[in-house]
Structure formats: structure tokens, C-alpha cells
Amino acid sequence: MIAFLGMGHLGANFVKAMLDKGRKVNVWNRTPAKATDLEADGAKAFANIADAVNGATHIHLTLKDDAAVDEVLEQASAGFSAGAIILDHTTTSTAGAAKRAEYWKKRGFAYLHAPVFMGPQNARESTGSMLVSGDQQLIEEVTPLLAAMTGKVLNFGTDPSKAAGLKLIGNLLLIAMTGGLSDALSLAGATGVTVEDMAKLFETFNPGNTLQARLKKMTSDTFDQPTWELNMARKDAGLMMKEVSGKPPMVIVPPVAAVMDKWIANGHGHQDWTVIAKDSL
């Protein structure tokens, strides 16, 4: 039997998918109605968290943050059965993930951080990606269960904090992309470009396709072999900001332009513009 704690959009859809596969699932949520709503789908809802996990072989969590995970697990632990495995899908800090793996091991329970790149619909359809790292024997044991929840389980080795770090890196890029699109919409509005025009451009020009090549360029220390000189990139950033001047402020371009200015002032203007990331390496 499975217990699932945290019935937000992601958790609720994970549960519905498990029920569709014939699993027995106990559910709990701080707001009880979100758990009881799932009884119509076949779940068993509990008001008491210790009762919800009693008898469960696997305990899944999708909560808000480190503090919520620690609080909920401590409350639930009164009902843990011997040998229960904790599978935490919450986006947390790296330190928190490592600390919990050690803490619950000392208390006799296996803990695995398994964050996801999945939206609610992915959880419902069992598609997307799940990240794991830590005890490899534990990962081997639970991979069949996790694989049934997602399209792909990615194992990043023995460090119990690495999955948490990679999840944050992925979310960082999503935030940066959204900020970039916000700037692009500001620039489009200032230059008379419609959203339809942008969509047509992105049908053939997909900046995301350059991600792997750009990462390789930035980490190979080949800045003296520019494909786009920093001076030229800064010139284009200036054109963007000038076009948008007086419109809703840009989010991403101005602070990046300030970093470009620093590197140009230090004599790197004729190098590849990705040199601005050199201090991060």
C-alpha cells in the first residue's frame, strides 16, 4: 500500500494515475478537502497523518519546501511501518535533501529525494522526467515504482543532494527563459511585432536547440575563438534597451548588459560574448 502526502495539483494527479493502475493509495493533506475529494477516484483519505502512513510500504511527498517536508515527516513518523521507504518529490535545497537522507537512515527508514520535471498533466499521464541520486541499492529497488510514475528516471549517482541541485538548475533556466520571453514581448510591443510574428519566427528559430552547444562553448575556455563578439552582443543589447525605452521595463537584458560592460572594460570585448560566464566556472 502507498501513502501520498500533499494533494496539490501534482500530488493529486500522481494519485489518480496510481489508482488507475490498480494501486491502493492513502492520502493526506493539510487542507482535508483536497484529500477527501480523491475518495471519488478510489483513494482513502485520512485526517490524521500518522494513520495515513500506517501500513504503507512507500510514502510519497509533494510539498512546498524543506520546512514543510521536515514538519510533515516528523508528524507522520509516529505511524511509519518498519522498512517504509520515503520518496520525496518536493523541490528542496541540496542541504535539506542530504540532511534528510542521513537523518531518516539513522532512524531506520530509507529516504530518497526524487524531484521531477513534470506538470500536473504529466503526472496524470505518467510522462516527463524524475531525477534521483543517493543510495544506489535503494534506487535500484524503487526504480520500477518510480518509472511507472514518469516517462524517464534519471540517476545522477551516489550524492544524495545532486538531484536537488539539478532540479534547481532546471528551474533556473525556466525562470530565465520566462524572463527572456517577457523582455521579448516588451521589445515586440515597442517595435510593432505581433505575438503571431514571434510564434512564426520560433517555428524555425528555436534558441533552445543551442543549449548544449552553448554550454560546451562556455565551459571549454575557447573565448578567443568568438562566434559572436562581446562588443557586438553588447551593441545589440543596447539597441534592444533603446527600442523599449519608456515602455514596461525589461527583466533580463539590463542586468546582463551591465555584466557585459564590466567584461568589456576589462579588455574582453573582442572575445566570445559567453566570456561573461567565466567567473561562474
Side-chain angles (χ1 to χ4, degrees):
M1 186 267 290
I2 293 170
F4 215 113
L5 312 178
M7 293 296 101
H9 295 302
L10 193 65
N13 279 288
F14 270 136
V15 168
K16 289 176 182 178
M18 289 176 173
L19 294 168
D20 286 345
K21 295 179 176 71
R23 305 303 298 265
K24 293 182 179 180
V25 188
N26 290 354
V27 295
W28 172 90
N29 194 76
R30 290 177 190 270
T31 305
K34 290 185 177 181
T36 55
D37 284 349
L38 288 165
E39 291 190 321
D41 297 282
K44 188 173 182 180
F46 289 82
N48 184 291
I49 192 170
D51 292 340
V53 301
N54 188 28
T57 57
H58 297 85
I59 301 160
H60 295 260
L61 300 93
T62 53
L63 300 171
K64 180 183 179 182
D65 52 24
D66 287 285
V69 172
D70 289 337
E71 179 183 350
V72 165
L73 284 177
E74 203 61 50
Q75 292 174 355
S77 63
F80 285 174
S81 299
I85 296 173
I86 303 163
L87 300 166
D88 182 10
H89 309 293
T90 308
T91 299
T92 70
S93 68
T94 57
K99 180 180 178 181
R100 278 184 289 277
E102 181 179 2
Y103 174 78
W104 288 106
K105 183 178 181 179
K106 288 180 178 178
R107 290 190 58 176
F109 302 99
Y111 169 93
L112 181 68
H113 190 224
V116 301
F117 289 115
M118 300 170 68
Q121 191 61 31
N122 296 115
R124 190 70 179 86
E125 298 171 351
S126 303
T127 60
S129 298
M130 186 176 293
L131 317 181
V132 294
S133 64
D135 184 327
Q136 293 297 294
Q137 184 175 344
L138 172 62
I139 289 172
E140 183 178 0
E141 178 182 345
V142 300
T143 289
L145 174 62
L146 299 181
M149 297 172 63
T150 183
K152 186 175 291 186
V153 178
L154 303 175
N155 184 351
F156 289 98
T158 59
D159 182 347
S161 71
K162 188 168 286 187
L166 287 162
K167 168 62 174 178
L168 292 176
I169 288 169
N171 280 5
L172 181 153
L173 289 174
L174 293 175
I175 290 169
M177 182 172 66
T178 300
L181 283 172
S182 177
D183 282 4
L185 288 168
S186 293
L187 182 57
T191 57
V193 172
T194 66
V195 174
E196 291 73 22
D197 291 330
M198 289 175 60
K200 184 176 180 179
L201 171 65
F202 294 142
E203 287 176 3
T204 54
F205 170 61
N206 182 357
N209 289 339
T210 70
L211 186 64
Q212 292 282 10
R214 194 171 301 277
L215 177 62
K216 183 178 180 180
K217 178 72 174 178
M218 293 169 68
T219 56
S220 62
D221 197 20
T222 56
F223 304 116
D224 289 326
Q225 302 169 33
T227 57
W228 191 17
E229 284 192 1
L230 178 55
N231 283 330
M232 298 303 292
R234 178 61 179 87
K235 179 266 295 181
D236 289 356
L239 290 174
M240 298 169 200
M241 291 188 290
K242 184 176 180 180
E243 292 280 3
V244 178
S245 179
K247 304 292 182 180
M250 303 180 89
V251 176
I252 297 292
V253 174
V256 173
V259 176
M260 290 178 173
D261 288 339
K262 183 192 78 170
W263 283 90
I264 290 171
N266 289 334
H268 298 274
H270 293 294
Q271 291 187 306
D272 191 88
W273 81 285
T274 56
V275 72
I276 66 172
K278 189 172 182 179
D279 284 347
S280 300
L281 302 177

